[in-house]
Amino acid sequence: MFERPAREPIAPGAVWLHGFALADAGALLADVQLALQQAPLRHLVTPGGYRMSVAMSNCGPLGWCSDERGYRYAAQDPQSGRPWPSMPHSFMSLASRAAAAAGYADFTPDACLINRYEPGARLTLHQDRDERDHRQPIVSVSLGLPAVFLFGGPRRSDRAHRLPLQHGDVVVWGGPSRLAYHGIQALAHGTHTLTGPCRYNLTFRCAG
DNA sequence: AAGTCCCA
DNA sequence: ACAG
């Protein structure tokens, strides 16, 4: 049989952890729903004035936000004025273990972006560069429907790898890959046992 | 520019 | 390629 390796290097500093979150997926998804109850998903607007196809929310001390004025991290949900929901223990534990498995010890994220992709939703190539300390890695967890993850280099024009991410996969990048351009191809239609017709992505960062 | 449009 |  063909089996996926547990740990697949993508580029220097970047690792694909196949199925790393599988055992945690149920608990993670339950905590996603609890967080979204306090801070509902919403479609953000980019500085260019376009509505993002991915629906987003956050939990943890800081949340990633976008509006016509730009991108930033904020301690309060701009939609309610209240702090973002606290980071669930299940999230923190998974993120820390995944980072360690990828070679990044002592990862303590202060921000978790919750993304919901419905069919057609996508994220064009971009860099995560709104965080204060780029020495800390990014941990990205896939739940539900599969999606093609694009992972390029430091320039937008760099050739990108195309990684078919599955439910439970985790990608970690940092060090020389910290500012790599990355994105998600338009989600294909489908139904997943745990999430139904969508994909959730949890992105953990040290923003402050 | 974390999006959209146009061209080959 | 394009501009905030």
Side-chain angles (χ1 to χ4, degrees), chain A residues 21-66:
Chain A
L22 268 181
D24 300 76
L28 293 173
L29 284 167
D31 283 335
V32 164
Q33 294 311 321
L34 288 175
L36 296 182
Q37 209 169 311
Q38 303 170 242
L41 291 164
R42 77 292 305 264
H43 292 274
L44 303 179
V45 173
T46 66
Y50 295 104
R51 168 190 187 272
M52 296 180 72
S53 57
V54 178
M56 299 178 165
S57 186
N58 294 279
C59 66
L62 294 172
W64 187 82
C65 305
S66 175

Short mmCIF file of all heavy atoms in Angstrom, two decimals, chain A residues 21-66:
data_model
loop_
_atom_site.label_atom_id
_atom_site.label_comp_id
_atom_site.label_asym_id
_atom_site.label_seq_id
_atom_site.Cartn_x
_atom_site.Cartn_y
_atom_site.Cartn_z
N ALA A 21 -3.27 16.02 13.26
CA ALA A 21 -4.38 16.46 14.13
C ALA A 21 -5.57 15.52 14.09
O ALA A 21 -6.64 15.84 14.65
CB ALA A 21 -4.82 17.87 13.74
N LEU A 22 -5.42 14.36 13.46
CA LEU A 22 -6.57 13.45 13.29
C LEU A 22 -7.22 13.09 14.62
O LEU A 22 -8.44 13.15 14.76
CB LEU A 22 -6.12 12.18 12.58
CG LEU A 22 -6.26 12.18 11.05
CD1 LEU A 22 -5.80 10.84 10.48
CD2 LEU A 22 -7.71 12.46 10.68
N ALA A 23 -6.40 12.71 15.60
CA ALA A 23 -6.96 12.27 16.89
C ALA A 23 -7.62 13.42 17.65
O ALA A 23 -8.47 13.19 18.50
CB ALA A 23 -5.86 11.64 17.74
N ASP A 24 -7.23 14.65 17.32
CA ASP A 24 -7.75 15.83 18.03
C ASP A 24 -8.92 16.48 17.30
O ASP A 24 -9.55 17.42 17.83
CB ASP A 24 -6.65 16.88 18.18
CG ASP A 24 -5.46 16.37 18.96
OD1 ASP A 24 -4.66 15.59 18.38
OD2 ASP A 24 -5.32 16.73 20.14
N ALA A 25 -9.20 16.03 16.09
CA ALA A 25 -10.13 16.77 15.21
C ALA A 25 -11.51 16.97 15.84
O ALA A 25 -12.07 18.07 15.75
CB ALA A 25 -10.25 16.05 13.87
N GLY A 26 -12.04 15.95 16.46
CA GLY A 26 -13.37 16.08 17.06
C GLY A 26 -13.42 17.16 18.11
O GLY A 26 -14.31 18.02 18.13
N ALA A 27 -12.43 17.13 19.01
CA ALA A 27 -12.37 18.13 20.08
C ALA A 27 -12.12 19.53 19.51
O ALA A 27 -12.72 20.51 19.96
CB ALA A 27 -11.27 17.77 21.07
N LEU A 28 -11.24 19.62 18.51
CA LEU A 28 -10.95 20.92 17.88
C LEU A 28 -12.22 21.51 17.27
O LEU A 28 -12.52 22.70 17.46
CB LEU A 28 -9.87 20.77 16.81
CG LEU A 28 -8.47 20.38 17.29
CD1 LEU A 28 -7.55 20.09 16.10
CD2 LEU A 28 -7.88 21.48 18.16
N LEU A 29 -12.96 20.67 16.55
CA LEU A 29 -14.17 21.17 15.88
C LEU A 29 -15.24 21.58 16.89
O LEU A 29 -15.97 22.54 16.67
CB LEU A 29 -14.69 20.13 14.90
CG LEU A 29 -13.87 20.03 13.61
CD1 LEU A 29 -14.22 18.77 12.82
CD2 LEU A 29 -14.08 21.28 12.75
N ALA A 30 -15.34 20.85 17.98
CA ALA A 30 -16.30 21.24 19.02
C ALA A 30 -15.92 22.60 19.59
O ALA A 30 -16.78 23.47 19.81
CB ALA A 30 -16.32 20.19 20.13
N ASP A 31 -14.62 22.82 19.80
CA ASP A 31 -14.17 24.11 20.33
C ASP A 31 -14.28 25.23 19.29
O ASP A 31 -14.46 26.39 19.65
CB ASP A 31 -12.74 23.99 20.85
CG ASP A 31 -12.68 23.29 22.21
OD1 ASP A 31 -13.70 23.35 22.95
OD2 ASP A 31 -11.65 22.70 22.55
N VAL A 32 -14.17 24.88 18.02
CA VAL A 32 -14.40 25.87 16.96
C VAL A 32 -15.83 26.41 17.09
O VAL A 32 -16.05 27.63 17.08
CB VAL A 32 -14.18 25.26 15.56
CG1 VAL A 32 -14.78 26.15 14.48
CG2 VAL A 32 -12.70 25.03 15.29
N GLN A 33 -16.78 25.51 17.22
CA GLN A 33 -18.18 25.94 17.29
C GLN A 33 -18.44 26.81 18.53
O GLN A 33 -19.20 27.78 18.47
CB GLN A 33 -19.11 24.73 17.27
CG GLN A 33 -19.07 23.96 15.93
CD GLN A 33 -19.20 24.84 14.70
OE1 GLN A 33 -19.98 25.79 14.68
NE2 GLN A 33 -18.42 24.54 13.66
N LEU A 34 -17.80 26.45 19.65
CA LEU A 34 -17.95 27.27 20.86
C LEU A 34 -17.41 28.68 20.65
O LEU A 34 -18.01 29.68 21.05
CB LEU A 34 -17.26 26.61 22.04
CG LEU A 34 -17.94 25.34 22.59
CD1 LEU A 34 -17.08 24.71 23.69
CD2 LEU A 34 -19.32 25.69 23.14
N ALA A 35 -16.25 28.77 20.01
CA ALA A 35 -15.64 30.08 19.76
C ALA A 35 -16.51 30.90 18.81
O ALA A 35 -16.74 32.10 19.03
CB ALA A 35 -14.23 29.91 19.19
N LEU A 36 -17.01 30.23 17.76
CA LEU A 36 -17.81 30.96 16.77
C LEU A 36 -19.14 31.44 17.34
O LEU A 36 -19.75 32.37 16.81
CB LEU A 36 -18.05 30.07 15.53
CG LEU A 36 -16.78 29.69 14.77
CD1 LEU A 36 -17.13 28.86 13.54
CD2 LEU A 36 -15.99 30.93 14.37
N GLN A 37 -19.56 30.80 18.42
CA GLN A 37 -20.78 31.23 19.10
C GLN A 37 -20.57 32.62 19.72
O GLN A 37 -21.49 33.43 19.80
CB GLN A 37 -21.11 30.21 20.18
CG GLN A 37 -22.55 30.05 20.53
CD GLN A 37 -22.78 28.82 21.41
OE1 GLN A 37 -22.30 27.73 21.11
NE2 GLN A 37 -23.49 29.01 22.50
N GLN A 38 -19.33 32.88 20.15
CA GLN A 38 -19.01 34.17 20.79
C GLN A 38 -18.54 35.22 19.78
O GLN A 38 -18.73 36.42 20.00
CB GLN A 38 -17.92 33.97 21.84
CG GLN A 38 -18.27 32.96 22.92
CD GLN A 38 -17.06 32.64 23.79
OE1 GLN A 38 -16.61 31.51 23.85
NE2 GLN A 38 -16.52 33.64 24.47
N ALA A 39 -17.87 34.75 18.73
CA ALA A 39 -17.37 35.66 17.69
C ALA A 39 -17.69 35.04 16.34
O ALA A 39 -16.91 34.26 15.80
CB ALA A 39 -15.86 35.87 17.86
N PRO A 40 -18.85 35.38 15.78
CA PRO A 40 -19.32 34.73 14.55
C PRO A 40 -18.39 34.95 13.36
O PRO A 40 -17.68 35.96 13.30
CB PRO A 40 -20.68 35.40 14.30
CG PRO A 40 -21.08 35.99 15.61
CD PRO A 40 -19.80 36.36 16.30
N LEU A 41 -18.44 34.00 12.45
CA LEU A 41 -17.71 34.15 11.20
C LEU A 41 -18.24 35.34 10.44
O LEU A 41 -19.43 35.64 10.49
CB LEU A 41 -17.87 32.88 10.34
CG LEU A 41 -17.18 31.62 10.87
CD1 LEU A 41 -17.74 30.39 10.17
CD2 LEU A 41 -15.68 31.72 10.69
N ARG A 42 -17.35 36.01 9.71
CA ARG A 42 -17.76 37.14 8.87
C ARG A 42 -16.80 37.24 7.69
O ARG A 42 -15.66 36.79 7.77
CB ARG A 42 -17.83 38.44 9.67
CG ARG A 42 -16.50 39.14 10.00
CD ARG A 42 -15.63 38.42 10.96
NE ARG A 42 -16.18 38.06 12.24
CZ ARG A 42 -16.04 38.77 13.35
NH1 ARG A 42 -15.36 39.89 13.33
NH2 ARG A 42 -16.53 38.34 14.50
N HIS A 43 -17.30 37.84 6.61
CA HIS A 43 -16.46 38.04 5.43
C HIS A 43 -15.80 39.41 5.54
O HIS A 43 -16.48 40.44 5.45
CB HIS A 43 -17.29 37.92 4.15
CG HIS A 43 -17.78 36.53 3.89
ND1 HIS A 43 -17.03 35.58 3.22
CD2 HIS A 43 -18.93 35.91 4.25
CE1 HIS A 43 -17.71 34.45 3.17
NE2 HIS A 43 -18.87 34.62 3.78
N LEU A 44 -14.48 39.41 5.72
CA LEU A 44 -13.75 40.67 5.85
C LEU A 44 -13.59 41.33 4.48
O LEU A 44 -13.72 40.68 3.45
CB LEU A 44 -12.38 40.42 6.46
CG LEU A 44 -12.38 39.74 7.84
CD1 LEU A 44 -10.95 39.52 8.33
CD2 LEU A 44 -13.18 40.56 8.84
N VAL A 45 -13.30 42.62 4.52
CA VAL A 45 -13.05 43.40 3.30
C VAL A 45 -11.57 43.73 3.25
O VAL A 45 -10.96 44.05 4.29
CB VAL A 45 -13.90 44.68 3.30
CG1 VAL A 45 -13.54 45.58 2.14
CG2 VAL A 45 -15.38 44.33 3.28
N THR A 46 -10.97 43.62 2.08
CA THR A 46 -9.54 43.95 1.93
C THR A 46 -9.37 45.46 1.77
O THR A 46 -10.34 46.17 1.46
CB THR A 46 -8.94 43.25 0.70
OG1 THR A 46 -9.55 43.80 -0.46
CG2 THR A 46 -9.19 41.75 0.74
N PRO A 47 -8.13 45.94 1.96
CA PRO A 47 -7.88 47.38 1.76
C PRO A 47 -8.28 47.84 0.36
O PRO A 47 -8.58 49.01 0.16
CB PRO A 47 -6.37 47.51 2.00
CG PRO A 47 -6.04 46.37 2.92
CD PRO A 47 -6.94 45.25 2.50
N GLY A 48 -8.26 46.93 -0.60
CA GLY A 48 -8.66 47.29 -1.96
C GLY A 48 -10.17 47.40 -2.12
O GLY A 48 -10.66 47.79 -3.17
N GLY A 49 -10.92 47.02 -1.06
CA GLY A 49 -12.37 47.16 -1.10
C GLY A 49 -13.12 45.91 -1.51
O GLY A 49 -14.33 45.94 -1.72
N TYR A 50 -12.40 44.77 -1.62
CA TYR A 50 -13.05 43.53 -2.04
C TYR A 50 -13.40 42.64 -0.85
O TYR A 50 -12.64 42.52 0.09
CB TYR A 50 -12.14 42.76 -3.00
CG TYR A 50 -11.89 43.48 -4.30
CD1 TYR A 50 -10.68 44.12 -4.53
CD2 TYR A 50 -12.87 43.53 -5.27
CE1 TYR A 50 -10.44 44.78 -5.72
CE2 TYR A 50 -12.65 44.19 -6.47
CZ TYR A 50 -11.44 44.82 -6.69
OH TYR A 50 -11.22 45.48 -7.87
N ARG A 51 -14.54 41.97 -0.95
CA ARG A 51 -14.98 41.03 0.07
C ARG A 51 -14.23 39.72 -0.08
O ARG A 51 -14.15 39.15 -1.16
CB ARG A 51 -16.49 40.81 -0.11
CG ARG A 51 -17.10 39.66 0.67
CD ARG A 51 -18.53 39.45 0.15
NE ARG A 51 -19.30 38.49 0.91
CZ ARG A 51 -19.31 37.18 0.67
NH1 ARG A 51 -18.54 36.68 -0.27
NH2 ARG A 51 -20.07 36.38 1.40
N MET A 52 -13.67 39.22 1.02
CA MET A 52 -12.95 37.94 0.97
C MET A 52 -13.96 36.79 0.90
O MET A 52 -14.99 36.81 1.57
CB MET A 52 -12.03 37.79 2.18
CG MET A 52 -10.91 38.84 2.22
SD MET A 52 -9.82 38.69 3.63
CE MET A 52 -8.92 37.21 3.17
N SER A 53 -13.62 35.78 0.11
CA SER A 53 -14.54 34.64 -0.05
C SER A 53 -14.50 33.71 1.16
O SER A 53 -15.44 32.97 1.41
CB SER A 53 -14.19 33.86 -1.32
OG SER A 53 -12.85 33.41 -1.30
N VAL A 54 -13.39 33.74 1.90
CA VAL A 54 -13.25 32.93 3.10
C VAL A 54 -13.90 33.68 4.27
O VAL A 54 -13.71 34.89 4.41
CB VAL A 54 -11.76 32.67 3.41
CG1 VAL A 54 -11.60 31.86 4.69
CG2 VAL A 54 -11.09 31.97 2.23
N ALA A 55 -14.71 32.99 5.08
CA ALA A 55 -15.31 33.59 6.26
C ALA A 55 -14.36 33.39 7.44
O ALA A 55 -13.79 32.31 7.60
CB ALA A 55 -16.66 32.95 6.56
N MET A 56 -14.16 34.44 8.23
CA MET A 56 -13.14 34.41 9.28
C MET A 56 -13.65 34.83 10.64
O MET A 56 -14.60 35.60 10.77
CB MET A 56 -11.97 35.32 8.89
CG MET A 56 -11.28 34.94 7.61
SD MET A 56 -9.96 36.10 7.19
CE MET A 56 -9.07 35.14 5.95
N SER A 57 -12.97 34.29 11.67
CA SER A 57 -13.11 34.78 13.03
C SER A 57 -11.78 34.50 13.73
O SER A 57 -10.84 34.01 13.11
CB SER A 57 -14.28 34.12 13.75
OG SER A 57 -14.47 34.71 15.02
N ASN A 58 -11.69 34.81 15.00
CA ASN A 58 -10.44 34.61 15.74
C ASN A 58 -10.72 34.16 17.16
O ASN A 58 -11.82 34.37 17.70
CB ASN A 58 -9.64 35.92 15.83
CG ASN A 58 -9.12 36.42 14.50
OD1 ASN A 58 -8.10 35.96 13.99
ND2 ASN A 58 -9.86 37.36 13.89
N CYS A 59 -9.71 33.56 17.78
CA CYS A 59 -9.73 33.37 19.22
C CYS A 59 -8.30 33.55 19.74
O CYS A 59 -7.35 33.51 18.96
CB CYS A 59 -10.31 32.01 19.61
SG CYS A 59 -9.34 30.61 19.09
N GLY A 60 -8.20 33.79 21.04
CA GLY A 60 -6.89 34.10 21.62
C GLY A 60 -6.77 35.59 21.87
O GLY A 60 -7.67 36.36 21.52
N PRO A 61 -5.67 36.02 22.49
CA PRO A 61 -5.49 37.43 22.86
C PRO A 61 -5.55 38.39 21.68
O PRO A 61 -6.03 39.52 21.82
CB PRO A 61 -4.10 37.45 23.49
CG PRO A 61 -3.90 36.06 24.02
CD PRO A 61 -4.59 35.17 23.04
N LEU A 62 -5.07 37.97 20.50
CA LEU A 62 -5.07 38.84 19.34
C LEU A 62 -5.76 38.18 18.16
O LEU A 62 -5.69 36.97 17.98
CB LEU A 62 -3.63 39.20 18.95
CG LEU A 62 -2.86 40.06 19.95
CD1 LEU A 62 -1.40 40.19 19.55
CD2 LEU A 62 -3.50 41.43 20.08
N GLY A 63 -6.43 38.99 17.36
CA GLY A 63 -7.13 38.47 16.19
C GLY A 63 -6.74 39.23 14.94
O GLY A 63 -6.63 40.46 14.97
N TRP A 64 -6.55 38.50 13.84
CA TRP A 64 -6.21 39.15 12.57
C TRP A 64 -7.46 39.79 11.97
O TRP A 64 -8.52 39.16 11.89
CB TRP A 64 -5.60 38.15 11.59
CG TRP A 64 -5.08 38.80 10.34
CD1 TRP A 64 -3.88 39.42 10.18
CD2 TRP A 64 -5.75 38.89 9.07
NE1 TRP A 64 -3.76 39.90 8.89
CE2 TRP A 64 -4.88 39.59 8.19
CE3 TRP A 64 -7.00 38.46 8.60
CZ2 TRP A 64 -5.23 39.86 6.87
CZ3 TRP A 64 -7.34 38.73 7.28
CH2 TRP A 64 -6.46 39.43 6.42
N CYS A 65 -7.33 41.05 11.55
CA CYS A 65 -8.46 41.80 10.98
C CYS A 65 -8.04 42.48 9.69
O CYS A 65 -6.87 42.83 9.52
CB CYS A 65 -8.92 42.88 11.96
SG CYS A 65 -9.36 42.27 13.59
N SER A 66 -8.99 42.65 8.81
CA SER A 66 -8.77 43.44 7.59
C SER A 66 -9.99 44.30 7.35
O SER A 66 -11.13 43.87 7.58
CB SER A 66 -8.56 42.50 6.39
OG SER A 66 -8.47 43.27 5.20
#
